[in-house]
Amino acid sequence: NEIKDAELERLLRKLNCDQHTEDEIRYAFARLVNKLLHSPTVSLRNASENESSPSLVEAIKGLFRLK
């Protein structure tokens, strides 16, 4: 979320748009991030419920630098 917010603020500073346009851009950014993270999140959730998938869990932990 921090990365998305920082990039969004950077973009909005460059654009001179009205509030409606800014709201639409914010909504589009949120949807994009949600869509990008949906499949990995579902895979991780499913793997965490299945003890036979420790390699997937470890791979995702490494990918996102989780402990």
Side-chain angles (χ1 to χ4, degrees):
N1 249 350
E2 292 175 19
I3 295 170
K4 176 197 75 159
D5 292 342
E7 289 302 315
L8 182 56
E9 292 307 319
R10 182 176 165 271
L11 173 65
L12 291 174
R13 276 195 306 272
K14 289 183 176 186
L15 301 175
N16 184 18
C17 54
D18 60 44
Q19 188 62 49
H20 175 73
T21 303
E22 183 176 320
D23 291 344
E24 288 296 319
I25 293 169
R26 287 182 186 280
Y27 182 67
F29 263 65
R31 286 184 53 203
L32 176 63
V33 170
N34 288 341
K35 287 182 180 192
L36 288 172
L37 293 178
H38 179 73
S39 292
T41 302
V42 170
S43 295
L44 179 59
R45 186 177 305 122
N46 291 340
S48 70
E49 294 170 355
N50 180 357
E51 291 182 26
S52 66
S53 301
S55 61
L56 177 60
V57 173
E58 292 304 314
I60 293 176
K61 283 181 180 179
L63 179 65
F64 290 105
R65 297 183 179 160
L66 303 173
K67 295 181 179 180

